[in-house]
C-alpha cells in the first residue's frame, strides 16, 4: 500500500488555518487528516505500508516520521527524486509521475500494489493500481479516511487489485455500512 502525503493524509499550509497545526515541518503548518492514526493502524494489519510523495525529501521524511504510529514501520519512504518528471501537455508544467515499476523492482507483483493519491495525473502510468481520495485541505469534518479504511478492509483478500473497479469505492464503503 503506497500512500501519498499532501492532500491525501495531511495538509501542509504556509499559513495557520482555523486552528493550530498538529505539527510543524520547516515553514509548513501540518494538519493531520481526521482519523489518520486509526486509518494507518487499521490498514497496517492487512497491508505493508509505504510512503511516496512528490515533495522534497527533507519534508517527506519529517512528515512520514511524524505521522507514523509507534508500532508500524514504513517499507520505504520515497520523495520527488524517485518520481519521473514529465511535461504536462496542456498546462506545460512539470508533473512528477510515480511509476510503480520502481515498486515492482522491490519484489512486489503489480497486481498486489495499491496506491492512494489525490492527484490522478501523478498516477498516469498505473491508474489500475490507484484509489483516488478527495483532496484534504484542513476540513475538520472530513471522513474520507474512515470510509477508505472500510473499503480497504473489504478488498484486502482480492488477489488482483488491478482487475478491481475502484472508481466507485466510496459508495461501496457506504453500502457496507451496518
Ligand atoms: Mg497529494
Amino acid at each position: 500500500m503506497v500512500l501519498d502525503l499532501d492532500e491525501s493524509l495531511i495538509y501542509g499550509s504556509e499559513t495557520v488555518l482555523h486552528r493550530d497545526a498538529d505539527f510543524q515541518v520547516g515553514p509548513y503548518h501540518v494538519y493531520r487528516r481526521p482519523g489518520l492514526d486509526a486509518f494507518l493502524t487499521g490498514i497496517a494489519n492487512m497491508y505493508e505500508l509505504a510512503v511516496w510523495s512528490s515533495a522534497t525529501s527533507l519534508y517527506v521524511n519529517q512528515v512520514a516520521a511524524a505521522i507514523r504510529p509507534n508500532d508500524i514501520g514504513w517499507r520505504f519512504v520515497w520523495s520527488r527524486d524517485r518520481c519521473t518528471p514529465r511535461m504536462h501537455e496542456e498546462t506545460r508544467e512539470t508533473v512528477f509521475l510515480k511509476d510503480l515499476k520502481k515498486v515492482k523492482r522491490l519484489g512486489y507483483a503489480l497486481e498486489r500494489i495499491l496506491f492512494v493519491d489525490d492527484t490522478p495525473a501523478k498516477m498516469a502510468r498505473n491508474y489500475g493500481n490507484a484509489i483516488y481520495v478527495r483532496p484534504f485541505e484542513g476540513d475538520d469534518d472530513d471522513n474520507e479516511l474512515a470510509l477508505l479504511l472500510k473499503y480497504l478492509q473489504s478488498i484486502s483478500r482480492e488477489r488482483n487489485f488491478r482487475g478491481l473497479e475502484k472508481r466507485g469505492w466510496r459508495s461501496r464503503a457506504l453500502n457496507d455500512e451496518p
Side-chain angles (χ1 to χ4, degrees):
M1 170 75 57
V2 185
L3 302 163
D4 173 48
L5 293 178
D6 283 305
E7 281 93 54
S8 292
L9 301 186
I10 54 108
Y11 182 59
S13 169
E14 282 177 284
T15 56
V16 177
L17 305 180
H18 57 288
R19 63 171 173 88
D20 286 341
D22 295 313
F23 57 94
Q24 192 128 6
V25 172
Y28 295 100
H29 306 268
V30 183
Y31 295 81
R32 294 165 189 266
R33 194 163 205 165
L36 177 58
D37 216 56
F39 172 76
L40 293 175
T41 307
I43 58 172
N45 293 326
M46 305 172 278
Y47 301 89
E48 284 181 68
L49 306 186
V51 166
W52 193 355
S53 160
S54 59
T56 53
S57 61
L58 190 63
Y59 174 84
V60 172
N61 288 336
Q62 289 188 48
V63 172
I67 64 170
R68 184 179 65 81
N70 280 335
D71 46 352
I72 291 171
W74 302 121
R75 182 63 184 75
F76 58 80
V77 176
W78 286 353
S79 47
R80 178 172 304 174
D81 48 17
R82 292 279 188 152
C83 296
T84 308
R86 279 289 171 275
M87 171 98 77
H88 191 283
E89 283 176 19
E90 282 156 35
T91 63
R92 313 303 288 170
E93 284 173 1
T94 303
V95 177
F96 293 95
L97 299 178
K98 300 169 183 177
D99 190 335
L100 291 189
K101 255 188 286 177
K102 296 184 180 182
V103 180
K104 192 179 166 210
R105 272 183 221 134
L106 297 178
Y108 296 95
L110 273 180
E111 298 75 34
R112 299 293 299 158
I113 301 171
L114 280 172
F115 207 111
V116 172
D117 208 301
D118 65 297
T119 313
K122 290 180 184 170
M123 294 305 302
R125 295 197 174 171
N126 304 95
Y127 58 88
N129 298 83
I131 299 172
Y132 300 117
V133 290
R134 293 185 177 127
F136 169 65
E137 292 177 347
D139 176 10
D140 286 332
D141 296 325
D142 178 283
N143 73 338
E144 194 85 337
L145 291 181
L147 280 178
L148 185 58
L149 173 59
K150 264 188 203 153
Y151 176 68
L152 292 173
Q153 283 166 335
S154 77
I155 64 166
S156 66
R157 290 172 179 278
E158 297 282 348
R159 304 217 53 81
N160 182 356
F161 292 136
R162 284 163 76 87
L164 273 185
E165 177 50 76
K166 293 176 284 299
R167 279 175 294 187
W169 73 264
R170 207 173 281 103
S171 56
R172 177 157 172 192
L174 283 169
N175 288 339
D176 283 353
E177 211 124 281

